[in-house]
Amino acid sequence: MRFFLIGLLMAFLINPSYGVVDCPPAITNGKLYGILPVVNQKLSYSEVADCGAVSQADLFRRARLWAAQSCHAPGDTFSLSDKETGDLVGRVSQVVTLPRSEHSAGGVYTFQYSFIIECTNRKYRATITQLDVLENGGKATPIETYCQKNEADLRVIYAALDGQIRDRLASLQEGVKNYKPF
């Protein structure tokens, strides 16, 4: 009996998930914490833009050029670049800096996500999915299950992240749809 209790105690001490609080995602009106859009319990942004009378090859070239100029953080990669199908798929980083204040300790938060650009029929569709929070040591945690002690800080971080992602999508539209030839 004594060995059983010692074994049980050791299992609790060795198990890394012991004592970790599981915090379910707070989804309100289809948005994580009322800020980030969620589709089928996963964070997802999607935007379609009609680019007029642009050929698929030129549309793809513009998207690839935009990606090369705009996604240059260490670790940003575009693993698929297929001009035949018009698909461009990559893993991109986004950094949010929360300033220190009376109510917040502040911090720098790094996020990674899949960025998919599909070019066809004079349109492109940009999709952002699989968003992860990179924690200490580079451990990736899906944003839907990310927990933080201070919910107010989390809302500020998510609002800043949402703004940055929307700015990136607007930059893509400016770089592809409103491309200025030389």
Side-chain angles (χ1 to χ4, degrees), residues 3 7 17 32 38 60 67 85 89 102 114 116 123 125 128 133 143 146 165:
F3 289 115
S17 65
L32 187 63
V38 175
F60 176 73
T85 62
V89 179
E102 283 183 29
S114 293
I116 303 162
K123 297 178 185 174
R125 175 173 51 195
I128 293 175
V133 180
I143 197 164
Y146 180 65
I165 289 175

Side-chain angles (χ1 to χ4, degrees), residues 84-130:
E84 298 298 319
T85 62
D87 295 337
L88 193 61
V89 179
R91 194 84 178 139
V92 180
S93 300
Q94 196 77 43
V95 176
V96 172
T97 303
L98 185 62
R100 184 178 209 110
S101 70
E102 283 183 29
H103 308 290
S104 170
V108 177
Y109 301 87
T110 303
F111 299 89
Q112 267 191 338
Y113 53 85
S114 293
F115 200 147
I116 303 162
I117 304 170
E118 302 164 281
C119 304
T120 187
N121 298 328
R122 301 182 320 266
K123 297 178 185 174
Y124 76 81
R125 175 173 51 195
T127 307
I128 293 175
T129 60
Q130 298 173 346

Side-chain angles (χ1 to χ4, degrees), residues 6-75:
I6 292 172
L8 188 61
L9 177 64
M10 291 302 291
F12 283 126
L13 293 175
I14 293 173
N15 187 353
S17 65
Y18 177 72
V20 174
V21 177
D22 182 30
C23 63
I27 298 174
T28 307
N29 296 327
K31 295 186 175 193
L32 187 63
Y33 287 96
I35 300 167
L36 302 172
V38 175
V39 177
N40 295 328
Q41 300 297 317
K42 295 288 183 184
L43 185 121
S44 180
Y45 288 81
S46 187
E47 173 182 281
V48 176
D50 189 335
C51 297
V54 178
S55 70
Q56 178 172 330
D58 195 36
L59 194 59
F60 176 73
R61 184 185 68 77
R62 292 176 184 185
R64 190 177 58 202
L65 180 63
W66 175 86
Q69 292 173 338
S70 302
C71 302
H72 45 75

Side-chain angles (χ1 to χ4, degrees), residues 34 91 139 149:
R91 194 84 178 139
K139 178 185 170 216
K149 293 177 184 173

